Amino acid sequence: MTASPYPTTPWLRPPPPMAFLSLLLLLGCLSPSISLAGAEAAGVLRQVVGGDDGGTFFEPFNVTYDHRALILGGKRRMLVSAGLHYPRATPEMWPSLIAKCKEGGVDAIETYVFWNGHEPAKGQYYFEGRFDIVRFAKLVAAEGLFLFLRIGPYACAEWNFGGFPVWLRDVPGIEFRTDNEPYKAEMQIFVTKIVDIMKEEKLYSWQGGPIILQQIENEYGNIQGHYGQAGKRYMLWAAQMALALDTGVPWVMCRQTDAPEQILNTCNAFYCDGFKPNSYNKPTIWTEDWDGWYADWGESLPHRPAQDSAFAVARFYQRGGSLQNYYMYFGGTNFERTAGGPLQITSYDYDAPIDEYGILRQPKWGHLKDLHAAIKLCESALTAVDGSPHYVKLGPMQEAHVYSSENVHTNGSISGNSQFCSAFLANIDEHKYASVWIFGKSYSLPPWSVSILPDCETVAFNTARVGTQTSFFNVESGSPSYSSRHKPRILSLIGVPYLSTTWWTFKEPVGIWGEGIFTAQGILEHLNVTKDISDYLSYTTRVNISEEDVLYWNSKGFLPSLTIDQIRDVARVFVNGKLAGSKVGHWVSLNQPLQLVQGLNELTLLSEIVGLQNYGAFLEKDGAGFRGQVKLTGLSNGDIDLTNSLWTYQIGLKGEFSRIYSPEYQGSAEWSSMQNDDTVSPFTWFKTMFDAPEGNGPVTIDLGSMGKGQAWVNGHLIGRYWSLVAPESGCPSSCNYAGTYSDSKCRSNCGIATQSWYHIPREWLQESGNLLVLFEETGGDPSQISLEVHYTKTICSKISETYYPPLSAWSRAANGRPSVNTVAPELRLQCDDGHVISKITFASYGTPTGGCQNFSVGNCHASTTLDLVVEACEGKNRCAISVTNEVFGDPCRKVVKDLAVEAECSPPSVNQEPRYDI
């Protein structure tokens, strides 16, 4: 058995309070070794033999399956997978992220393959930087994890155009995702390219690589009906094309109930415990367990409680599931213009167990880690049952599923029996606790919960009882946290209130500015013109206004209006270089009053994309820009139809094409120093220089004082920003985990901007002289921009002396049977890597009241608690404390005691390293 990362000392007798201070220190020691959950969950059960220079990472093994599970190297496995998309992080982040996935107890990493990132132009491939998928796959393998590769090549993924390259629209005669020869030809070329690369790099399992599973198409069953019989033919073609590539590992199609026999059909949903594949010969697989949700500009933020995520996963394995993948385990960031559409934000945090910056989100990460450890303890029993588990009705809304290698009698104890036996006890009542009787014992089940008994006797884990810490970040705005419901204060950077007091500006010309302009008759479709090389496309024409028109408006007391039948995503109307108004929406109408003057008036329409459509049928027909008629109404002689007028087209922005966001091209613009009393006007470029904050932690910038635009740091586009405010209503003051979850259930950030903090990867920064460039469309105040290091600031936990023993107390015999030592529960605290527990702000053993950030001492309190916890934890990265009278004494006999602790985390001082052991 691998040592626990939170070792505890067994207490033989109650020592005098101060005498065991040194013993308590041992509780805070942390071995760097991986726990039972981390080691046995991961692929390191297979021998790692090399891999640094193209060699194999595993002893080559075959992957097959039967009706129960995937079979790896001849052995059925219960697998947990973590969704982690390589382009949504930097390559420098990948090793830490993969390691945190492994530490969380997962076996595999899942990722999409992003066609538009790898083939930005037809026949021109890119596999570098954030798109170096081979490097990513080898890092996964080096950690001893498997890889689930979802080639698609359609991804959805809230990714721009669903992962399709925009040039694909221009292939003559093409229709996406149907029985269309031009599309099938391009799809086959790309899928074959990816498979050939994986084979050349020896990344399939039979070559000693990590790939055990792959996907063709994605959720096609959702839209297949739109294409009729051509859709059915296409689906069958895609399956046969994939199988013909002879990859040697299984292919899946998610949400494809009519997938052919040789393809595994799988489930994507918030819950998949009721899902069954379309053939008895296929295992039950959950390719997307939505443990959070994405966010759109101007909306509140979704949040899924850790207890409900754990409940869904436990129910899946309880009812016959064999592989489950978190979508997402790490969401990351939609850098550049990769965010999908319409109107999806730059953050892809997804309320995942690892947050956008790579920091553990607690309690979700820790609670799920404990769940994975409990499931792994059951693996021998789960895989031993060839048919259905033994089902026991325990009450009107309570049930048990028992997995055993032999027949088991559930009305008495099975202690001493030699068989594998694991049980899942479920209470699906949303409101009431239930007491159930099984195995000769009584078990109390919280509402909407599952208890896991690896040995059919002892509860190792309950999904509703959280035994891990809760963490609060120093920067909460823009992350799904209930502590972020109020507008955040401006944060300071090393004593300076704001990022910079020195700014330079450059005015972006409206409409026609030079390169790439052309004139055409009529309103051209946005993407046909821009090919998505920029979000921006200007349409400019001239309108002659007579004296009669002006007199007519004056006499009637109204203004003429510009009307457009449909626009998406943002339309801005300029008259003679001045902004008249804007409209935001997805194919919505525009009606904008205009202040026109007598004579020639220059009318410019600016079309802006905020992410191309990423989901649905007929994506190639969706397009962008304007549809229908463009009219000028309210003239003295009637309306003027401008739809077929001569329009001059200008792609992109002058500053964009001059690359004034890059350090190498600062001479391409005539920057002017910004004065304190300057009025900030729309369509302005801003720049400043700044020093990186101290330390190695991830950096975040607050752009909440700005309007809408894009931001670059040292030439890297960190993404779009937009300070659209979410509605005031729709965010509960608290969230009850119990009951069926939907993405509208537990929302936060009402009444403030959907996103105000943006990720700047630390590796994009140098110590000093960093260049920040903003393109601002609507006006804002750059002097209010601030910068922070993102880290876990406050950690807290409350554990009862009646809680379960730590999962590390469990072990498995050589034959795989689990057993547990009788040890006290543990309270565990952990700061981010490199940070230390700098202060214990609350500690009480007895009957403390309240919750995290609101603890109070109760009627029963051990007076030595604070001193003991300070000695055990302060100055360390993490610590663990036994919750027992033998540590703290018994301040009130015959009363169940809790230990509650709250602490502050801080970066270590220059000369101080975090203590991991004594």
Side-chain angles (χ1 to χ4, degrees):
M1 170 178 162
T2 309
S4 165
Y6 298 97
T8 54
T9 300
W11 299 98
L12 302 178
R13 64 182 184 274
M18 297 309 292
F20 60 79
L21 270 176
S22 59
L23 291 177
L24 187 62
L25 285 173
L26 293 175
L27 298 176
C29 303
L30 182 70
S31 164
S33 61
I34 301 300
S35 69
L36 172 70
E40 295 201 353
V44 292
L45 289 175
R46 310 202 62 83
Q47 183 182 359
V48 178
V49 296
D52 289 340
D53 299 309
T56 56
F57 292 88
F58 302 96
E59 291 287 355
F61 62 98
N62 291 325
V63 181
T64 57
Y65 59 85
D66 62 13
H67 63 281
R68 184 65 186 98
L70 286 184
I71 300 172
L72 308 186
K75 182 180 178 182
R76 284 178 180 168
R77 291 295 306 273
M78 295 289 108
L79 298 172
V80 176
S81 173
L84 193 170
H85 298 160
Y86 52 96
R88 284 177 159 142
T90 62
E92 292 81 0
M93 294 172 65
W94 293 343
S96 173
L97 292 171
I98 295 167
K100 288 172 181 175
C101 292
K102 179 178 179 178
E103 186 184 356
V106 308
D107 307 284
I109 301 293
E110 169 273 334
T111 186
Y112 282 117
V113 178
F114 295 91
W115 190 356
N116 52 13
H118 291 298
E119 193 177 2
K122 182 174 167 58
Q124 298 179 20
Y125 296 101
Y126 182 77
F127 292 94
E128 300 174 17
R130 296 191 343 270
F131 290 91
D132 190 347
I133 189 174
V134 169
R135 178 181 174 186
F136 178 79
K138 290 182 176 181
L139 287 170
V140 170
E143 278 287 356
L145 298 178
F146 305 127
L147 183 61
F148 174 16
L149 199 63
R150 299 174 72 183
I151 301 177
Y154 165 71
C156 184
E158 291 72 61
W159 187 267
N160 194 48
F161 212 31
F164 285 132
V166 171
W167 60 259
L168 198 63
R169 299 171 80 244
D170 298 329
V171 174
I174 198 163
E175 291 182 74
F176 292 2
R177 304 177 75 193
T178 187
D179 188 17
N180 172 267
E181 293 304 323
Y183 174 74
K184 292 192 296 183
E186 295 296 340
M187 174 178 168
Q188 184 167 5
I189 290 170
F190 181 74
V191 173
T192 303
K193 175 78 173 177
I194 297 300
V195 167
D196 286 348
I197 289 173
M198 298 300 111
K199 286 182 179 178
E200 289 166 8
E201 297 290 340
K202 297 185 167 128
L203 293 173
Y204 283 104
S205 66
W206 50 271
Q207 299 174 298
I211 301 175
I212 61 168
L213 203 62
Q214 58 207 337
Q215 180 175 301
I216 194 70
E217 251 301 340
N218 186 47
E219 297 184 331
Y220 188 66
N222 293 5
I223 65 165
Q224 181 174 313
H226 292 282
Y227 298 97
Q229 287 302 308
K232 178 76 170 182
R233 293 194 302 271
Y234 162 72
M235 183 274 295
L236 294 173
W237 169 85
Q240 291 305 315
M241 182 269 288
L243 292 169
L245 293 172
D246 194 24
T247 61
V249 301
W251 289 90
V252 308
M253 283 181 166
C254 61
R255 286 198 162 184
Q256 193 68 48
T257 57
D258 58 349
E261 183 67 24
Q262 305 95 321
I263 302 289
L264 304 178
N265 69 301
T266 64
C267 183
N268 291 0
F270 288 116
Y271 304 91
C272 282
D273 54 290
F275 168 78
K276 295 299 177 187
N278 63 3
S279 167
Y280 175 78
N281 299 318
K282 302 177 183 182
T284 302
I285 295 176
W286 190 0
T287 35
E288 289 189 14
D289 169 6
W290 303 330
D291 56 356
W293 203 244
Y294 60 87
D296 293 339
W297 299 110
E299 291 187 359
S300 55
L301 295 176
H303 168 72
R304 188 175 187 186
Q307 299 96 319
D308 184 62
S309 279
F311 173 78
V313 174
R315 287 287 284 168
F316 176 71
Y317 290 100
Q318 173 178 3
R319 301 182 67 189
S322 64
L323 184 155
Q324 169 265 346
N325 172 68
Y326 291 102
Y327 191 99
M328 303 292 297
Y329 200 79
F330 163 80
T333 308
N334 293 314
F335 296 117
E336 300 174 332
R337 297 184 304 110
T338 57
L343 307 177
Q344 286 160 8
I345 67 173
T346 295
S347 171
Y348 201 63
D349 180 272
Y350 219 84
D351 194 35
I354 303 175
D355 81 356
E356 176 183 2
Y357 302 84
I359 304 298
L360 302 183
R361 171 171 280 116
Q362 299 281 27
K364 184 173 278 190
W365 182 87
H367 192 51
L368 295 176
K369 176 183 178 179
D370 287 348
L371 168 66
H372 304 155
I375 290 170
K376 288 300 173 182
L377 288 168
C378 303
E379 185 170 28
S380 295
L382 288 169
T383 55
V385 174
D386 196 59
S388 299
H390 181 58
Y391 176 81
V392 184
K393 185 74 171 174
L394 298 174
M397 302 186 76
Q398 295 78 37
E399 60 186 12
H401 291 74
V402 181
Y403 290 84
S404 178
S405 57
E406 303 173 16
N407 290 333
V408 60
H409 299 288
T410 59
N411 56 355
S413 174
I414 68 162
S415 296
N417 290 358
S418 61
Q419 76 253 39
F420 303 127
C421 186
S422 297
F424 295 75
L425 315 182
N427 177 15
I428 58 175
D429 191 304
E430 298 180 18
H431 308 289
K432 298 177 182 177
Y433 275 79
S435 180
V436 299
W437 183 269
I438 190 172
F439 305 126
K441 294 176 64 176
S442 177
Y443 296 88
S444 177
L445 304 180
W448 199 254
S449 76
V450 176
S451 285
I452 300 177
L453 288 61
D455 59 356
C456 282
E457 181 177 9
T458 310
V459 177
F461 180 87
N462 178 271
T463 60
R465 297 188 69 187
V466 177
T468 191
Q469 73 181 37
T470 296
S471 298
F472 297 87
F473 302 129
N474 66 319
V475 175
E476 295 288 355
S477 176
S479 63
S481 168
Y482 280 90
S483 61
S484 65
R485 297 184 69 247
H486 303 290
K487 191 171 180 62
R489 60 186 173 85
I490 297 294
L491 297 170
S492 62
L493 170 63
I494 318 176
V496 179
Y498 307 113
L499 177 67
S500 176
T501 58
T502 305
W503 289 86
W504 292 268
T505 65
F506 170 72
K507 184 66 178 174
E508 173 68 29
V510 173
I512 302 167
W513 51 262
E515 297 178 19
I517 64 169
F518 66 94
T519 299
Q521 187 172 7
I523 298 293
L524 303 180
E525 195 272 325
H526 184 124
L527 279 183
N528 284 341
V529 177
T530 66
K531 310 303 179 188
D532 200 34
I533 64 172
S534 171
D535 279 352
Y536 305 96
L537 177 64
S538 296
Y539 303 64
T540 300
T541 191
R542 290 186 174 184
V543 179
N544 191 32
I545 297 300
S546 67
E547 182 179 1
E548 289 77 9
D549 289 325
V550 176
L551 292 173
Y552 175 71
W553 299 329
N554 290 338
S555 66
K556 297 293 184 180
F558 70 88
L559 295 175
S561 291
L562 178 78
T563 64
I564 304 176
D565 287 349
Q566 290 183 306
I567 67 99
R568 70 147 297 194
D569 298 315
V570 180
R572 304 199 190 279
V573 181
F574 295 85
V575 176
N576 299 322
K578 294 183 179 180
L579 181 64
S582 304
K583 182 75 173 185
V584 177
H586 185 67
W587 300 127
V588 296
S589 62
L590 177 146
N591 189 325
Q592 177 61 51
L594 302 180
Q595 188 79 50
L596 299 172
V597 299
Q598 184 177 339
L600 281 178
N601 290 259
E602 186 173 84
L603 175 65
T604 296
L605 309 180
L606 179 66
S607 170
E608 302 176 14
I609 290 174
V610 189
L612 296 180
Q613 189 78 15
N614 58 262
Y615 177 77
F618 312 114
L619 282 182
E620 74 280 4
K621 296 178 173 62
D622 185 65
F626 310 131
R627 284 179 177 171
Q629 291 186 314
V630 178
K631 289 183 177 181
L632 195 59
T633 65
L635 280 74
S636 58
N637 292 323
D639 299 345
I640 298 178
D641 190 343
L642 301 175
T643 311
N644 295 312
S645 298
L646 284 176
W647 293 86
T648 299
Y649 290 83
Q650 176 71 69
I651 299 172
L653 309 169
K654 183 176 182 180
E656 187 180 22
F657 279 82
S658 299
R659 299 180 65 184
I660 66 174
Y661 51 80
S662 175
E664 296 82 14
Y665 291 89
Q666 288 307 290
S668 300
E670 295 182 4
W671 294 97
S672 300
S673 177
M674 180 181 172
Q675 305 303 313
N676 290 337
D677 57 352
D678 283 354
T679 300
V680 178
S681 60
F683 275 61
T684 300
W685 292 83
F686 297 95
K687 77 167 182 176
T688 194
M689 307 297 292
F690 68 97
D691 296 338
E694 294 179 353
N696 298 315
V699 179
T700 182
I701 186 169
D702 179 10
L703 299 176
S705 65
M706 305 303 293
K708 177 183 180 296
Q710 297 179 14
W712 291 261
V713 172
N714 294 331
H716 297 277
L717 178 55
I718 64 174
R720 303 180 183 100
Y721 67 84
W722 200 354
S723 296
L724 277 186
V725 173
E728 292 282 348
S729 61
C731 296
S733 58
S734 63
C735 174
N736 183 6
Y737 76 88
T740 303
Y741 179 79
S742 70
D743 65 279
S744 62
K745 180 178 179 181
C746 297
R747 292 246 166 188
S748 66
N749 278 47
C750 286
I752 65 174
T754 306
Q755 183 174 1
S756 57
W757 293 94
Y758 297 81
H759 182 200
I760 303 176
R762 174 69 72 165
E763 50 272 20
W764 289 358
L765 297 174
Q766 50 204 23
E767 187 173 335
S768 61
N770 296 286
L771 174 67
L772 171 65
V773 175
L774 309 174
F775 172 65
E776 173 57 50
E777 300 174 22
T778 64
D781 185 358
S783 69
Q784 301 294 306
I785 293 173
S786 61
L787 200 68
E788 263 288 354
V789 176
H790 175 77
Y791 68 95
T792 301
K793 184 177 182 180
T794 302
I795 55 178
C796 43
S797 185
K798 184 178 180 181
I799 301 294
S800 170
E801 63 176 335
T802 62
Y803 195 72
Y804 318 118
L807 270 300
S808 57
W810 286 82
S811 61
R812 286 203 299 220
N815 65 0
R817 288 191 66 206
S819 61
V820 62
N821 296 319
T822 303
V823 298
E826 289 179 356
L827 182 145
R828 294 170 288 170
L829 296 175
Q830 177 179 351
C831 297
D832 300 339
D833 293 343
H835 290 221
V836 295
I837 299 170
S838 55
K839 183 179 181 181
I840 304 299
T841 57
F842 180 87
S844 176
Y845 179 73
T847 57
T849 61
C852 287
Q853 298 188 313
N854 192 34
F855 284 131
S856 297
V857 173
N859 294 328
C860 169
H861 169 69
S863 59
T864 58
T865 309
L866 181 61
D867 289 339
L868 295 175
V869 174
V870 166
E871 186 67 18
C873 297
E874 277 194 6
K876 299 179 183 179
N877 172 261
R878 59 185 99 177
C879 60
I881 305 170
S882 287
V883 183
T884 172
N885 293 336
E886 294 172 326
V887 176
F888 298 100
D890 190 348
C892 42
R893 294 183 181 277
K894 297 183 180 180
V895 173
V896 175
K897 270 77 69 179
D898 297 329
L899 175 62
V901 179
E902 185 167 313
E904 297 293 320
C905 293
S906 300
S909 63
V910 175
N911 298 318
Q912 177 186 3
E913 293 295 327
R915 292 187 295 162
Y916 291 97
D917 51 28
I918 301 299

